Amino acid sequence: MKYEKEIERRKTFAIISHPDAGKTTLTEKFLLFGGAIQTAGAVKSNKIKKHATSDFMEIERQRGISVATSVMSFEYKNMLINLLDTPGHKDFAEDTYRTLTAVDSVVLVIDSVNGVEAQTRRLMEVCRMRDTPVIVFINKMDRDGKNRFDLLEEIENELKIQLHPMTWPINSGKDFKGVYNLHDKSLLLFTANTKASEENSVVINDLGQTLLEDKIGHNDANKLREDVELIDGVYGELNSTDYLNGKIAPVFFGSAINNFGVKELLDTFIRIAPTPRSRETTKREVSPAEDKLSGFVFKIHANLDPKHRDRIAFLRVCSGRFERNKYYHHVRLDKDFRFSNPYTFLARSKDIIDDAYSGDVVGLFDTGNFKIGDTLTEGEDFYFTGIPSFSPELFKELVNKDPMKTKQLEKGIRQLTDEGVAQLFTQFGGNKKIIGCVGELQFEVIQYRLLHEYSAACEFRALPFYKACWITSKDEKKLDEFTRFKQSNIAEDKDGHLVYLAQSEWFLNTERQNNPAIEFHFTSEIHK
Ligand code: G4P
């Protein structure tokens, strides 16, 4: 247990939300509290603006921002917090899903006016797959939002998670007066654009006190008493084990833009959020306190300079200590590598680091040796499990426009898919290359990058598929028959796993019914 002290002070998490709910704003407030930035407006949104004149300029702008903001590390009350950024555009959702495999918990931001939105649902599904602990922040209480009891019910039903209010709001919109902290029994009065030191907090141990009337008026005082009685009766004390197991999500109300309710959230976060935990591998469970290093690559970022193919591979350290210039074992390539310039994300010095511990993320300069899911160890052979590929939603055939550049095209597409920009499938029995993406923008990115970075011109031909399902069976013969019979719908992913490409839900359901011996999976774990 050499590194226990280091592990106990680390919390690695992500803020997730449907676009526009307030993720960037909340991130910025967290960094202000952590002293990592000094002024508001310092965190650039990594969203692709809806009305941008050219999406491309936006993509490039975003790529520029996103290396710097991929991991934001800061210290707060002696804890070291690693905040992992996730892309703001839904077309890059897969990147977000993978980042979620590298965190130990998440803060989910919900817009109090819009409630649960499409992306909120999908992100929560991913969290549920790994029982990731979730804290909910209901934002924009300064706007006329939904009735909070209805909102909680909506979140519980739609996201299939039990909630536990930690603060309770007094009205919303222009009547918003603040929140009552149910945990430490204090009243936090709303003022716009609060600075941490100026928070207007009043301790009210007994809600019967007339001080409450003095602060928020007769009607609201009575309403709050009723609400709190109801909440106490229903929820009681937070069970932190249930939170850590991803069964209960504590809820905070606030307004990120006004820096209101954010400190309560951050203080509770550092108190209850998990420190790095043990992780499953293909061989055994790995504890963060083990002496020997292990970690996995969850993201690869291409260099902005097209003349240099250098990339940065993001390694999440899972055990031991990462040291500069020490040799580590790359399990898939069965080769040892050392890294002389590992990149740190500690905001105080975006510089080369000498060491890192469980929970930290290290940026490794890479010339093409890494792909997502790769593991580094000190010699042992295993892979971390639970890093899935999700079914893309759009499929297009990749057509080579310049036969003289076939090699470049193949290399480019292989490297881009290693980076996780898109998924590559090869049609069974032929060699038609099918690219699967989550959004249209990704196709544009691929075409643009193939041309600019690999001088390979391509175009895409739409294919009528709607989902890719990985197929397996205990009965080899049945699987063989199915793949031969359905040849035009069968492909291999880039690791050689069989995939069924369904034209529609109807086809998929029919095939599932007609072929009970075949299992259809909506995600493929890179390593099982
Ligand atoms: P995102 O990263 O989740 O996509 O959201 P972001 O923080 O960019 O916030 C989306 C919009 O919501 C922004 O306005 C932001 O100012 C606003 N916002 C964030 N928190 C609050 C809040 O507590 N109350 C209110 N009323 N608004 C909030 P925008 O007009 O889209 O951008 P900007 O021009 O202000 O940058």
Side-chain angles (χ1 to χ4, degrees):
M1 299 287 272
K2 259 199 230 105
Y3 308 123
E4 201 176 11
K5 265 208 181 113
E6 292 294 342
I7 297 161
E8 288 307 311
R9 66 187 286 262
R10 277 166 165 75
K11 309 241 169 181
T12 300
F13 82 114
I15 302 181
I16 53 176
S17 75
H18 186 86
D20 274 346
K23 178 174 74 77
T24 311
T25 313
L26 186 64
T27 301
E28 181 171 287
K29 302 304 177 206
F30 272 15
L31 296 183
L32 281 167
F33 278 115
I37 54 169
Q38 309 307 326
T39 51
V43 177
K44 296 275 174 292
S45 165
N46 67 5
K47 268 189 298 209
I48 292 173
K49 294 254 187 299
K50 277 172 237 128
H51 307 296
T53 39
S54 150
D55 276 335
F56 271 163
M57 295 315 291
E58 279 300 307
I59 291 166
E60 289 300 294
R61 184 188 66 89
Q62 199 221 70
R63 285 213 292 148
I65 293 168
S66 61
V67 176
T69 62
S70 286
V71 185
M72 291 162 276
S73 301
F74 60 95
E75 292 194 20
Y76 181 72
K77 299 195 171 167
N78 287 329
M79 299 300 268
L80 199 153
I81 301 173
N82 294 311
L83 170 50
L84 273 51
D85 196 22
T86 52
H89 195 286
K90 69 168 179 33
D91 285 9
F92 299 95
E94 214 179 328
D95 208 10
T96 302
Y97 303 154
R98 280 192 298 259
T99 298
L100 293 183
T101 64
V103 301
D104 298 308
S105 70
V106 302
V107 168
L108 171 66
V109 184
I110 291 179
D111 181 328
S112 68
V113 183
N114 296 337
V116 174
E117 297 173 85
Q119 200 55 14
T120 333
R121 266 180 226 112
R122 303 185 59 179
L123 288 163
M124 264 308 291
E125 270 170 35
V126 180
C127 291
R128 232 177 292 112
M129 282 169 67
R130 304 183 59 243
D131 296 325
T132 308
V134 178
I135 297 181
V136 176
F137 182 71
I138 298 181
N139 191 27
K140 307 196 186 179
M141 289 307 295
D142 58 319
R143 297 184 55 196
D144 287 321
K146 300 187 175 188
N147 171 299
R148 63 240 52 192
F149 283 108
D150 292 348
L151 188 58
L152 292 190
E153 200 178 314
E154 175 183 324
I155 299 171
E156 286 200 333
N157 290 341
E158 294 225 21
L159 302 184
K160 298 183 187 65
I161 185 157
Q162 222 180 311
L163 299 179
H164 189 105
M166 303 296 282
T167 60
W168 194 250
I170 300 146
N171 305 326
S172 67
K174 61 180 178 352
D175 299 326
F176 183 50
K177 290 192 177 156
V179 294
Y180 180 69
N181 187 324
L182 297 152
H183 176 74
D184 63 17
K185 308 211 180 312
S186 63
L187 184 69
L188 192 63
L189 293 168
F190 177 67
T191 41
N193 301 314
T194 329
K195 294 216 174 57
S197 53
E198 291 169 4
E199 266 186 356
N200 200 349
S201 169
V202 190
V203 175
I204 300 192
N205 276 320
D206 176 4
L207 279 179
Q209 277 174 270
T210 52
L211 183 62
L212 192 61
E213 265 87 358
D214 296 346
K215 295 289 175 193
I216 59 174
H218 181 70
N219 285 350
D220 287 330
N222 278 342
K223 181 86 181 53
L224 180 66
R225 288 180 186 121
E226 272 172 32
D227 285 355
V228 170
E229 198 182 321
L230 197 66
I231 295 159
D232 277 346
V234 176
Y235 296 99
E237 269 295 304
L238 175 73
N239 181 332
S240 56
T241 314
D242 285 343
Y243 157 67
L244 290 173
N245 291 333
K247 303 285 173 257
I248 284 188
V251 181
F252 289 83
F253 291 85
S255 168
I257 194 93
N258 289 302
N259 202 5
F260 183 80
V262 176
K263 188 169 178 292
E264 329 293 299
L265 170 69
L266 185 56
D267 284 341
T268 306
F269 171 83
I270 58 163
R271 185 166 56 84
I272 66 171
T275 52
R277 299 195 280 182
S278 295
R279 284 178 176 253
E280 274 305 327
T281 71
T282 43
K283 212 162 152 192
R284 62 182 183 84
E285 198 177 82
V286 169
S287 152
E290 290 178 18
D291 287 355
K292 292 199 168 138
L293 173 102
S294 68
F296 66 92
V297 172
F298 64 94
K299 176 180 174 129
I300 294 177
H301 204 295
N303 199 312
L304 278 170
D305 181 353
K307 287 187 217 73
H308 297 99
R309 295 262 170 73
D310 283 16
R311 311 186 289 182
I312 298 179
F314 290 77
L315 181 87
R316 149 83 200 217
V317 180
C318 297
S319 68
R321 173 180 174 198
F322 181 92
E323 287 172 66
R324 182 154 93 98
N325 278 328
K326 183 168 170 179
Y327 276 97
Y328 293 113
H329 181 59
H330 186 313
V331 176
R332 182 175 55 87
L333 299 182
D334 191 20
K335 246 169 130 175
D336 290 349
F337 288 88
R338 69 191 181 117
F339 305 92
S340 49
N341 304 310
Y343 190 86
T344 177
F345 300 95
L346 259 185
R348 58 182 149 81
S349 58
K350 277 227 167 49
D351 228 332
I352 290 167
I353 45 153
D354 285 318
D355 54 12
Y357 301 89
S358 289
D360 289 343
V361 174
V362 184
L364 307 174
F365 286 100
D366 169 42
T367 48
N369 291 314
F370 284 113
K371 62 181 189 178
I372 286 168
D374 276 344
T375 298
L376 285 186
T377 66
E378 291 194 28
E380 208 178 333
D381 282 336
F382 59 69
Y383 292 103
F384 286 91
T385 55
I387 309 163
S389 279
F390 293 84
S391 173
E393 286 163 15
L394 296 167
F395 299 86
K396 294 189 183 186
E397 183 188 346
L398 178 74
V399 182
N400 186 357
K401 274 178 54 182
D402 181 357
M404 302 293 285
K405 296 279 168 62
T406 304
K407 268 209 171 124
Q408 282 89 328
L409 184 78
E410 302 218 323
K411 182 173 179 186
I413 203 72
R414 202 185 59 237
Q415 294 206 343
L416 292 185
T417 48
D418 280 355
E419 263 178 48
V421 175
Q423 291 182 53
L424 173 67
F425 303 99
T426 311
Q427 198 167 40
F428 200 64
N431 57 3
K432 197 190 271 182
K433 287 194 166 47
I434 300 171
I435 305 289
C437 289
V438 177
E440 279 294 343
L441 260 181
Q442 282 168 296
F443 289 106
E444 293 181 35
V445 172
I446 293 168
Q447 200 172 29
Y448 177 87
R449 288 189 55 194
L450 282 175
L451 191 62
H452 287 84
E453 294 170 33
Y454 299 89
S455 310
C458 74
E459 61 185 20
F460 292 106
R461 206 170 283 156
L463 292 170
F465 301 125
Y466 108 112
K467 205 154 247 171
C469 292
W470 284 265
I471 47 172
T472 55
S473 177
K474 290 190 180 76
D475 187 337
E476 288 272 334
K477 218 174 123 226
K478 284 256 163 48
L479 189 63
D480 204 46
E481 267 172 29
F482 183 75
T483 49
R484 267 190 293 123
F485 194 57
K486 293 279 156 203
Q487 219 176 63
S488 54
N489 291 72
I490 304 290
E492 281 183 354
D493 72 7
K494 70 186 169 74
D495 299 313
H497 299 129
L498 283 176
V499 169
Y500 169 71
L501 301 168
Q503 281 107 313
S504 70
E505 196 164 346
W506 184 85
F507 273 103
L508 179 60
N509 288 338
T510 311
E511 295 304 353
R512 289 172 92 170
Q513 269 166 19
N514 293 348
N515 299 283
I518 312 273
E519 284 176 57
F520 293 76
H521 312 268
F522 291 97
T523 61
S524 111
E525 269 194 24
I526 291 177
H527 301 293
K528 286 214 171 135

